[in-house]
Amino acid sequence: MYCVLAKTVWKVVESPVSLLGKHSAANPLRNPVTDSLLGLINAARQDLTIGHAYMVLTDRVRAALKAASDRGVKIRFFTNSPETTSNLLTQAFFVKEWKDYMRDVPNMRIIALAKGRKLHGKVLVVDGRVTILGSY
């Protein structure tokens, strides 16, 4: 099946879909979204593309990205720059930590949007084969 949108042809491919919620009634102390995202980062062999409005990484995510970089995985992280977001706290984290990210995760490139543009969507693409879209 094909879909034509704005003169672009997209091939529709059927594939399994999983819906994950941040909170689980079965185990409220476990966060299946974070665990699943970390599993995908840990499974990456070639490249990761990450898009998130804010670059505030937990220790677990930072360690997973470092391990991926150590395996030779190329990482691109798209985010807002301090001038494209109005959240002062995330601006402070970004300004304080971006040099540490670059030092600790040498295969990661941070692409910060210029003034006049703003990123809100969340995306993770693993090896060009798995794509996660969401709001987390």
Side-chain angles (χ1 to χ4, degrees):
M1 177 180 359
Y2 292 88
C3 174
V4 178
L5 179 64
K7 297 185 181 181
T8 301
V9 177
W10 298 84
K11 183 177 180 183
V12 178
V13 179
E14 290 187 29
S15 63
V17 174
S18 296
L19 298 176
L20 298 172
K22 185 174 179 181
H23 303 288
S24 168
N27 187 353
L29 298 178
R30 185 172 169 265
N31 185 331
V33 175
T34 298
D35 294 343
S36 295
L37 294 175
L38 285 169
L40 289 167
I41 292 170
N42 290 332
R45 296 290 170 249
Q46 297 172 346
D47 56 77
L48 289 166
T49 301
I50 302 166
H52 198 288
Y54 311 114
M55 190 169 186
V56 180
L57 306 179
T58 66
D59 290 341
R60 291 174 67 200
V61 171
R62 193 177 198 156
L65 291 174
K66 181 181 181 335
S69 178
D70 291 346
R71 290 192 306 276
V73 174
K74 304 275 188 250
I75 304 164
R76 290 176 299 175
F77 198 118
F78 293 86
T79 190
N80 290 313
S81 69
E83 61 184 13
T84 60
T85 182
S86 58
N87 188 316
L88 293 176
L89 183 60
T90 59
Q91 287 179 18
F93 275 112
F94 183 81
V95 169
K96 177 182 177 288
E97 296 186 349
W98 75 271
K99 288 181 184 177
D100 294 338
Y101 293 145
M102 299 306 294
R103 180 195 65 227
D104 297 342
V105 187
N107 277 354
M108 181 165 63
R109 299 296 169 256
I110 300 171
I111 300 98
L113 297 181
K115 191 172 186 176
R117 301 180 186 266
K118 192 168 197 161
L119 177 66
H120 182 73
K122 286 78 175 173
V123 64
L124 171 66
V125 181
V126 182
D127 294 336
R129 299 182 57 140
V130 176
T131 301
I132 305 295
L133 300 171
S135 180
Y136 179 66

